[in-house]
Amino acid sequence: QRVIRYERTDRGSVCALAWPAIEHGPTPAGNYELVVDIHAPEQTRIALRISPRPKGRSRLRIEHSGLKTDGQRFASLQVWQAALKRVYKVMSQAWRSARRERQAVILVHGIGEQRPGQMLREFVSNVFGQDARERFFVKPDHVSSLFEMRMATVPRFEDKRPTTDVYELYWAHLIRDTTLAQVYGWVLRLILAGNSKIPKTLIRIVWLIRVAGALAAVAFIWLMTLDIPGWLKGVGGGLLVGLPAIATFAFKAIRDEYVIGYAGDAARYLEPHADNISRRQEIREAGAKLLDALHDNGRYGRIVVYGHSLGSVIAYDILSHAWGRRARDREDLPVTTSRALAALEGLLNARPSNASVPPVPPLSTSPTPAPVAIDKVQAMQHAAWMEYRRNGFKWRISDFVTVGSPLAHARWLLKLDSKTEFADLVRERSMPTCPPQTEDGRGPIKQVFTFTHAYPDHDDKSRSRSVLVPHHGGLFALTRWTNLYFPHKGLINGDPVAGPVADCFGNWVRDVPLRETKGFAHTRYTNRAQEGDAVNKVREALNLPFSRPLADHAPRELEATVLR
């Protein structure tokens, strides 16, 4: 409440102020309302209201009541003129801020002997370069410690997209010296896994390999039991024993590039053996440093992380670790609210008002995905992310986009050892899910993924306030996850590496199946010449149009207005 003085006799005070960023009063979101009582013998009130209209327009309404004397009318004029000056100042600030707004996209490449900048140039030329008015500029990347790296800047596009900087997390140089034994050991573990762990789309291929191996073993044993000359047994046995050497010789030309260069990357990163940990650590450290740099320089209002193939697994791991380290990083702000986050959490708790969006049970029970309205869920996640920002928290990653992701086969690929399966890692929150894993709450809120975070009162340091925050596995309460894949048919049609991930990670993930294709489609997601529709879907998933709402520019505190 702030005093408004008129001459020396009439006094007035702000009796109501509503703005979404401040969350005072019942005014609908998007409206601004200022109501002032002028203290006089009769009740005198001035109200100024701004409300949104269709097509980006606004309505300004000024109401007076109880004005009887010239002095009161003059005071009213002074009040709403001062209020309009404030509104104009805020609007001008918002306009200037929108012109300066920037966002960042981080690309994480997949397996293979990638070259620095290869993915970056392909991505920006296909995702951004389809319109003659959309140009991009390749510049030195001063964030990366690698002199080989470049970044791309895509200028602001009218009022639809802010200036976008695209970075590439390059990690191919960190996985070297892979051996055939490491690759064969990893493949053997996958082939011998239980059928319940193997994806249904790949079970036929796995069984073909199993049957071929079994027939080879039976043929060897049968050959050894035949009553044939010893020299013939020796020749046959030697051929069978020497098959690996023969195969190595035959495929020597392609071994380093395809067996070690491709499968080797997956084997070294996905297998948590002691000799692989240092490689995994170096890759994750590089990603964490990039995220830290983009958060700390303060240039970006929003960060999007995009991962292809094995890069999606790496990006997932980096985000999980970054959330644990940065989620509580907060500026000291006087006012906080938890309405949007509490509403999102409410989707997991059945109430009559939420009948249109069914509750989502914990993933540890392996439920059949409920028919959640994914558009509504992701809109509420984005609202919670915006609210988290307005509460002073510095988490800037709003979207995670995966394409061709082996995370679809997480139960098969991701486990600590034979005793600690993927479901165990999910249950203990080592693997963040979407929605986050919950625990029992109290009262009507039965399932919660938040806890109360206390912080000192802005005005009185001896007191404390509190706000809701997601727990250490609550990454995807605030960050939307969209997954795109080509459906796999037959042996090689589509993308056998990828598939829907919601079954493993929760039905708040937006799974987007692309059109059925002929041939191996794992590398076509950003190839406009072959899959123009897929590129458009990728662009849509990135949610490139972005602007902070006017509420972000609302004054955090009201200053006294003195009328003379």
Side-chain angles (χ1 to χ4, degrees):
Q1 209 175 64
R2 296 290 185 262
V3 175
I4 298 177
R5 292 182 174 85
Y6 167 67
E7 295 181 344
R8 294 187 179 180
T9 55
D10 293 337
R11 290 178 178 271
S13 61
V14 176
C15 64
L17 174 66
W19 189 287
I22 302 177
E23 300 288 359
H24 283 189
T27 306
N31 289 11
Y32 174 93
E33 181 178 58
L34 176 69
V35 181
V36 178
D37 284 337
I38 297 181
H39 298 170
E42 298 82 11
Q43 183 68 26
T44 306
R45 175 169 293 187
I46 307 140
L48 182 143
R49 297 182 178 89
I50 301 176
S51 55
R53 304 297 297 167
K55 298 182 180 180
R57 300 177 181 177
S58 300
R59 172 183 290 174
L60 171 64
R61 185 174 182 177
I62 302 173
E63 297 178 354
H64 308 259
S65 61
L67 303 182
K68 294 185 178 180
T69 68
D70 290 340
Q72 292 171 359
R73 295 188 184 95
F74 183 73
S76 169
L77 179 66
Q78 293 285 72
V79 167
W80 67 258
Q81 284 182 338
L84 284 179
K85 288 181 180 178
R86 287 188 178 185
V87 171
Y88 175 77
K89 182 179 180 180
V90 171
M91 296 290 287
S92 299
Q93 177 184 349
W95 184 83
R96 289 193 298 269
S97 177
R99 301 285 296 185
R100 297 192 300 266
E101 191 77 78
R102 298 182 83 93
Q103 63 184 0
V105 178
I106 299 175
L107 310 178
V108 188
H109 67 77
I111 60 176
E113 295 294 313
Q114 302 270 353
R115 298 189 178 188
Q118 180 180 345
M119 182 183 187
L120 174 73
R121 290 173 173 83
E122 177 187 345
F123 183 90
V124 295
S125 62
N126 283 276
V127 174
F128 292 98
Q130 80 278 14
D131 194 312
R133 294 174 295 175
E134 290 191 322
R135 302 178 60 191
F136 63 89
F137 306 94
V138 177
K139 302 178 180 179
D141 182 355
H142 299 298
V143 175
S144 174
S145 59
L146 292 175
F147 292 163
E148 299 283 347
M149 297 310 298
R150 298 291 184 268
M151 52 87 71
T153 295
V154 186
R156 177 177 175 271
F157 183 62
E158 298 176 350
D159 293 327
K160 298 178 180 179
R161 187 196 65 237
T163 299
T164 303
D165 292 336
V166 185
Y167 297 85
E168 179 182 1
L169 174 60
Y170 182 74
W171 55 266
H173 66 298
L174 297 175
I175 293 187
R176 316 304 301 166
D177 304 323
T178 303
T179 65
L180 284 174
Q182 290 172 321
V183 178
Y184 290 158
W186 176 66
V187 172
L188 183 63
R189 179 182 70 80
L190 296 180
I191 292 174
L192 298 180
N195 290 340
S196 61
K197 302 295 189 300
I198 301 174
K200 294 179 180 179
T201 55
L202 302 179
I203 191 69
R204 287 181 296 176
I205 297 176
V206 172
W207 268 106
L208 282 175
I209 297 174
R210 288 174 175 175
V211 171
L215 290 177
V218 170
F220 177 77
I221 296 172
W222 175 72
L223 177 64
M224 292 298 101
T225 60
L226 288 179
D227 186 15
I228 59 177
W231 67 269
L232 187 57
K233 288 183 180 181
V235 172
L239 289 175
L240 289 175
V241 172
L243 279 178
I246 296 172
T248 300
F249 178 79
F251 293 104
K252 184 175 178 56
I254 63 173
R255 180 193 63 184
D256 291 342
E257 181 174 356
Y258 294 100
V259 178
I260 293 179
Y262 286 85
D265 288 348
R268 297 295 300 278
Y269 188 85
L270 296 176
E271 191 79 345
H273 282 170
D275 55 349
N276 296 334
I277 296 302
S278 60
R279 299 292 182 241
R280 288 155 59 104
Q281 178 68 16
E282 289 173 350
I283 293 172
R284 292 170 180 177
E285 280 185 354
K289 288 179 180 178
L290 177 56
L291 280 180
D292 286 344
L294 298 187
H295 273 89
D296 293 340
N297 66 17
R299 297 185 70 193
Y300 300 109
R302 171 177 178 252
I303 300 173
V304 179
V305 177
Y306 171 93
H308 171 249
S309 187
L310 181 61
S312 66
V313 184
I314 294 172
Y316 173 86
D317 289 340
I318 292 169
L319 287 179
S320 302
H321 291 288
W323 170 260
R325 296 189 305 114
R326 302 197 64 100
R328 308 291 175 264
D329 191 9
R330 181 179 180 272
E331 298 175 0
D332 183 19
L333 295 181
V335 181
T336 58
T337 178
S338 301
R339 293 182 181 180
L341 186 58
L344 181 68
E345 189 176 57
L347 296 181
L348 305 181
N349 297 275
R351 293 196 304 269
S353 60
N354 285 333
S356 60
V357 183
V360 181
L363 270 180
S364 56
T365 60
S366 300
T368 300
V372 177
I374 191 63
D375 288 338
K376 181 175 181 178
V377 169
Q378 289 203 332
M380 294 178 70
Q381 284 177 297
H382 192 64
W385 174 77
M386 296 292 291
E387 178 185 76
Y388 208 63
R389 289 187 41 173
R390 289 195 292 268
N391 287 340
F393 293 98
K394 299 179 182 180
W395 184 253
R396 291 292 180 264
I397 301 167
S398 66
D399 289 89
F400 178 41
V401 180
T402 56
V403 300
S405 177
L407 289 170
H409 315 314
R411 293 189 182 94
W412 191 37
L413 298 174
L414 304 182
K415 65 177 183 178
L416 186 61
D417 50 42
S418 59
K419 296 181 180 180
T420 310
E421 299 285 350
F422 173 74
D424 301 316
L425 299 175
V426 165
R427 193 160 33 245
E428 68 185 25
R429 303 176 190 170
S430 294
M431 293 286 185
T433 55
C434 185
Q437 292 296 289
T438 61
E439 58 190 37
D440 294 338
R442 296 181 179 179
I445 306 299
K446 302 298 183 183
Q447 297 295 322
V448 298
F449 55 72
T450 62
F451 65 93
T452 301
H453 174 76
Y455 61 94
D457 185 272
H458 186 267
D459 298 319
D460 184 358
K461 299 299 183 181
S462 63
R463 301 174 54 192
S464 64
R465 293 178 177 270
S466 63
V467 65
L468 290 180
V469 297
H471 59 57
H472 71 271
L475 163 65
F476 295 111
L478 306 178
T479 300
R480 298 175 292 193
W481 185 350
T482 303
N483 175 64
L484 298 91
Y485 63 95
F486 288 106
H488 175 224
K489 299 289 185 181
L491 291 178
I492 62 171
N493 290 332
D495 187 358
V497 176
V501 304
D503 183 54
C504 292
F505 290 92
N507 59 9
W508 284 7
V509 180
R510 182 192 293 274
D511 277 322
V512 181
L514 303 173
R515 75 178 187 91
E516 295 185 4
T517 61
K518 296 292 185 181
F520 188 64
H522 185 63
T523 59
R524 299 183 190 173
Y525 290 93
T526 53
N527 188 328
R528 184 167 289 278
Q530 290 184 288
E531 299 292 344
D533 184 63
V535 176
N536 292 335
K537 294 291 186 181
V538 169
R539 182 185 174 99
E540 182 180 333
L542 295 171
N543 287 300
L544 293 170
F546 168 71
S547 61
R548 289 190 291 163
L550 188 61
D552 273 12
H553 308 284
R556 296 292 180 178
E557 294 182 346
L558 288 177
E559 299 177 357
T561 301
V562 180
L563 305 180
R564 303 183 184 280

